[in-house]
Amino acid sequence: MSGTTDESAGARAIRPFTIEIPEAEIEALRARISATRWPEKETVADQSQGVALATIQELARHWGSGYDWRTCEAKLSALPHFITEIDGLAIHFIHVRSKHGDALPLVVNHGWPGSIIEQLKIIDPLTDPTAHGASASDAFHVVIPSMPGYGFSGKPASTGWGPERMGRAWAELMGRLGYTRYVAQGGDWGAFVVDQMGLQAPEGLLAIHTNMPATVPADVDKAAQAGDPPPSGLSAEERRAYGQLIRTYGQVEYSRMMAARPQTLYGIADSPVGLAAWLLDHNDAGGQPAAAVVSALDRTSSATGELTRDEILDNITLYWLTNTGVSASRLYWEYRGGFFNAKGVSIPVAATVFPGEQYQAPRSWAERAYPNLIYYNQVDKGGHFAAWEQPQLFCEEVRAGFRPLR
């Protein structure tokens, strides 16, 4: 991994960045996979004890002998990558300008256990909509940063890099790129970041789109966190969402560990298989491990954009090669706010509710949480990592969500 440096331009310089993984690192990864010391099989017939031995062994077999990182590296290298220093930290980002001059600048935020790999399939449809059956008036200039501690961005050496600081950093980034008006999109931790951007309301930010809306009213959130019965007066849709919140809060052991003791996770820095299992064992509406990810492990190709086994490994391999398992985990330690609770965002907001999300945000809650709600839609497929799982549908939603601003 290298980036050219122009010292004369100063710390604010935006420099091209080149991805160059030495073959020795690939070979060392394969050797570590081969040398894995395995535990015994789980004592249950389901995944209630974690990622099943047969599942992770089959993935490791392919990772060590059939998977080719160079295919992913070529996809990445075909895109324009840059790096710049913001608030003392090196920030890596992809920046693809549309051929359509009136395109709307868009900064897209990834989450955990994801990376810029999540967004690769949406870049071309968003920047070149006419090649994908959409209108030129729906074009975007796309900026995709790697969050601090993730991927090719720098790893914070001190505390303070939570969603609030990232929101300010992305506003600074968009300004450096010359964008005086722009929009922001996020899911998972990216949803936290765009909510913070909405609260900060930097000059030039027109609106945000979230695919993990933070809409839960204070009394509902308090009851759900405590595991209490739902407050009285909820509609049927709101009661359904409450049940989903109870289920979700019962499946976030990984989150609690990273929030409390991220530095203890040395195993995911030392063992590729340990890292892979840790990144697989998050949850979505289908349970834990996430149903969308588990189903992808048996999918070797997809004509419609669904997740595949190699795409899962692309993301895991990026974490391994950049040694960011622990540095990425610290984001959970940094954040002290609520998760799905309404934050008080008053700028224009577009929200898409995907059925595989951790909870289905009702329109009633969304309208209260985001008083300037310009778009709300519930779609029929896709989940927590919507851009990764259903890129075509995701792009349609982003276009529709921001269309009122054109």
Side-chain angles (χ1 to χ4, degrees):
M1 296 165 287
S2 67
T4 61
T5 302
D6 181 2
E7 294 293 339
S8 63
R12 290 173 55 87
I14 293 174
R15 308 181 300 276
F17 181 87
T18 303
I19 300 168
E20 296 174 341
I21 305 297
E23 186 62 27
E25 292 191 29
I26 306 297
E27 294 172 358
L29 168 59
R30 294 194 181 109
R32 281 178 175 264
I33 294 170
S34 178
T36 299
R37 185 171 71 167
W38 297 100
E40 63 284 350
K41 183 180 182 295
E42 62 277 3
T43 57
V44 293
D46 55 26
Q47 305 222 43
S48 59
Q49 291 184 352
V51 179
L53 180 65
T55 298
I56 195 68
Q57 284 186 326
E58 175 58 24
L59 184 65
R61 181 201 61 75
H62 176 64
W63 195 12
S65 61
Y67 168 78
D68 182 10
W69 161 257
R70 298 302 183 194
T71 300
C72 177
E73 189 176 280
K75 292 178 184 177
L76 288 169
S77 296
L79 298 166
H81 294 255
F82 303 90
I83 198 161
T84 191
E85 183 178 309
I86 299 178
D87 204 5
L89 194 70
I91 299 297
H92 160 266
F93 61 98
I94 296 170
H95 181 203
V96 181
R97 289 186 59 85
S98 173
K99 66 181 180 182
H100 301 288
D102 58 350
L104 182 61
L106 167 68
V107 57
V108 186
N109 302 254
H110 68 79
W112 183 96
S115 65
I116 57 169
I117 299 293
E118 291 177 52
Q119 279 86 32
L120 294 183
K121 292 181 285 188
I122 67 172
I123 295 173
D124 197 58
L126 291 178
T127 58
D128 190 9
T130 56
H132 297 268
S135 169
S137 61
D138 284 325
F140 293 92
H141 302 306
V142 175
V143 179
I144 306 173
S146 295
M147 292 195 298
Y150 287 68
F152 302 116
S153 280
K155 301 172 186 176
S158 57
T159 61
W161 274 102
E164 301 88 347
R165 195 169 179 180
M166 288 185 204
R168 293 190 293 270
W170 297 169
E172 169 68 19
L173 175 61
M174 297 302 278
R176 286 189 193 180
L177 293 172
Y179 294 134
T180 57
R181 57 191 301 275
Y182 62 93
V183 292
Q185 197 289 325
D188 193 78
W189 278 110
F192 290 66
V193 175
V194 298
D195 268 345
Q196 291 300 321
M197 294 180 75
L199 289 172
Q200 295 160 5
E203 184 177 359
L205 178 62
L206 304 178
I208 65 172
H209 176 276
T210 174
N211 56 282
M212 194 180 79
T215 68
V216 183
D219 60 331
V220 177
D221 190 56
K222 181 179 179 181
Q225 293 278 6
D228 293 340
S232 61
L234 299 184
S235 69
E237 185 182 25
E238 292 167 344
R239 286 196 301 273
R240 176 173 174 265
Y242 185 83
Q244 293 168 336
L245 289 169
I246 294 292
R247 178 206 64 218
T248 291
Y249 289 143
Q251 297 176 336
V252 290
E253 298 86 353
Y254 61 92
S255 171
R256 295 189 180 100
M257 181 64 186
M258 289 186 287
R261 311 286 288 176
Q263 193 64 26
T264 297
L265 298 173
Y266 293 98
I268 66 175
D270 186 61
S271 166
V273 167
L275 174 68
W278 185 256
L279 297 179
L280 290 178
D281 204 23
H282 60 279
N283 65 316
D284 62 10
Q288 183 182 2
V293 171
V294 172
S295 64
L297 299 181
D298 294 324
R299 189 180 297 118
T300 57
S301 64
S302 173
T304 52
E306 290 105 338
L307 269 172
T308 66
R309 177 179 60 184
D310 277 4
E311 287 172 346
I312 297 293
L313 285 174
D314 290 341
N315 183 63
I316 295 171
T317 305
L318 178 61
Y319 271 80
W320 177 262
L321 295 174
T322 56
N323 192 17
T324 47
V326 172
S327 59
S329 300
R330 293 194 191 104
L331 179 54
Y332 286 80
W333 186 93
E334 288 286 351
Y335 184 66
R336 292 293 182 266
F339 280 78
F340 303 115
N341 60 307
K343 307 295 194 300
V345 177
S346 59
I347 72 166
V349 175
T352 301
V353 177
F354 286 84
E357 189 49 86
Q358 292 173 326
Y359 88 108
Q360 305 292 285
R363 178 185 285 272
S364 57
W365 289 358
E367 290 174 343
R368 290 169 59 186
Y370 302 118
N372 202 347
L373 188 70
I374 59 173
Y375 180 83
Y376 172 93
N377 190 32
Q378 294 191 17
V379 295
D380 60 359
K381 58 184 177 181
H384 186 64
F385 295 100
W388 214 13
E389 299 173 34
Q390 294 293 334
Q392 179 179 340
L393 179 57
F394 177 88
C395 290
E396 291 170 358
E397 286 298 299
V398 170
R399 295 179 193 127
F402 289 128
R403 199 166 285 141
L405 304 173
R406 299 284 185 171

